[in-house]
Amino acid sequence: MPKPKSDASDQLAAKSINPDEIDWFNKMAHEWWDPNGVMHMLHDYNHLRIPWIRDGLIATKILPADAKNKPNCLEGTLILDAGCGGGVLTEAIGRVKGKVVGLDCAKQLIDLAEDHLAPQDDLKAYVSYCCETIEEHCVKNPNKYDAVVASEVLEHIDDKAAFLDCCVKALKPGGSIFITTISKTFMGWFIAKLWAEYITGIIRRGSHEFKLFITPNDVMKILKEFNCRKERVRGVRYDFFRRREKKFQFSSYSGVAYTLQAVKNK
């Protein structure tokens, strides 16, 4: 199912993302915080994403080694959640005391994220939201963040080089960019597109376009141009039969979905 042409009047211009993608996600705003709805995989993914970010920042000395055993494991970090959507990962970062800015140019999603945050007084000191493009944000906030996270975002971006360039510009030297996305391979298409959208229906049909998938090698080719080095790439698999907190698992195979951490050179 092709995405409808955008008719939203409140979208901000962005070089890197197609306005139709922004409109698509705006129209799904009401479903974002239902952990049993079409966005359930984002909620499940947090059980892997938070330890992954924590361990990556320990490995690069942004966090001390003992952060691994602390409930507030991201305390003392400043993180940008680029393409935060309705804030599922953003709030999870805030709950472990990372100070985080959720960034998205889909206004209805930022409104939703702020509404969800509003009654949670304990999170407000750690979580804030900003409705603007990454292009605008990096100009205002150069070399600012300990980490920039772009999770399940890159597969919706037209100009990946422009997007990643801006993410790196917002990152402190020595900071890390954390990416999760889908690999542009036959298995990436078969599992993430055909199987997930059309056979099992665990993802809404039309959510992904194969032409926007990208391999980890191609991501790193771009990032190396912006003075970043690879820290680690790991495959990810989804297990139907495990408990919710165990559904996402790291894998040695990165041909479907993967995580990638790269460090901005000092």
Side-chain angles (χ1 to χ4, degrees), residues 1 3 182 187-199 203-210 213:
M1 179 189 299
K3 293 182 176 65
I182 305 168
M187 288 304 296
W189 167 81
F190 182 83
I191 297 296
K193 185 69 181 174
L194 182 63
W195 182 79
E197 292 187 22
Y198 288 89
I199 297 175
I203 298 175
R204 173 172 285 188
R205 288 189 181 188
S207 294
H208 298 115
E209 295 183 51
F210 177 70
F213 294 177

Side-chain angles (χ1 to χ4, degrees), residues 13-49:
K15 178 183 177 182
S16 57
I17 188 168
N18 188 322
D20 296 338
E21 290 281 347
I22 303 171
D23 197 53
W24 170 262
F25 285 110
N26 270 330
K27 290 176 179 177
M28 296 171 66
H30 65 286
E31 301 171 325
W32 215 270
W33 277 101
D34 180 0
N36 299 309
V38 295
M39 294 294 185
H40 70 95
M41 293 182 77
L42 290 181
H43 294 263
D44 296 346
Y45 212 172
N46 279 349
H47 297 289
L48 187 72
R49 292 188 290 188

Side-chain angles (χ1 to χ4, degrees), residues 45-56 68 73 250:
Y45 212 172
N46 279 349
H47 297 289
L48 187 72
R49 292 188 290 188
I50 294 299
W52 165 59
I53 295 168
R54 175 202 66 200
D55 292 349
K68 193 176 185 74
C73 61
F250 285 119

Side-chain angles (χ1 to χ4, degrees), residues 87-99:
V88 171
L89 178 58
T90 318
E91 283 197 11
I93 292 170
R95 287 191 195 101
V96 291
K97 301 299 186 282
K99 193 164 186 180

Side-chain angles (χ1 to χ4, degrees), residues 55-168:
D55 292 349
L57 292 178
I58 291 173
T60 55
K61 311 299 184 185
I62 298 294
L63 284 172
D66 64 357
K68 193 176 185 74
N69 302 314
K70 294 180 177 179
N72 299 330
C73 61
L74 295 182
E75 190 169 15
T77 60
L78 180 61
I79 297 174
L80 177 66
D81 185 6
C84 67
V88 171
L89 178 58
T90 318
E91 283 197 11
I93 292 170
R95 287 191 195 101
V96 291
K97 301 299 186 282
K99 193 164 186 180
V100 57
V101 176
L103 178 73
D104 210 295
C105 53
K107 186 178 185 302
Q108 289 181 39
L109 292 182
I110 291 295
D111 290 345
L112 171 74
E114 290 179 333
D115 287 346
H116 195 269
L117 177 66
Q120 302 183 79
D121 292 336
D122 58 325
L123 278 181
K124 290 179 183 176
Y126 298 96
V127 177
S128 61
Y129 290 102
C130 181
C131 186
E132 63 184 3
T133 67
I134 187 65
E135 288 88 349
E136 293 167 320
H137 194 76
C138 74
V139 171
K140 300 174 187 176
N141 300 276
N143 302 308
K144 180 175 181 178
Y145 295 97
D146 296 305
V148 175
V149 181
S151 184
E152 304 309 287
V153 174
L154 209 54
E155 67 270 24
H156 302 288
I157 298 294
D158 283 357
D159 191 338
K160 299 181 193 332
F163 175 81
L164 291 171
D165 183 23
C166 293
C167 288
V168 173

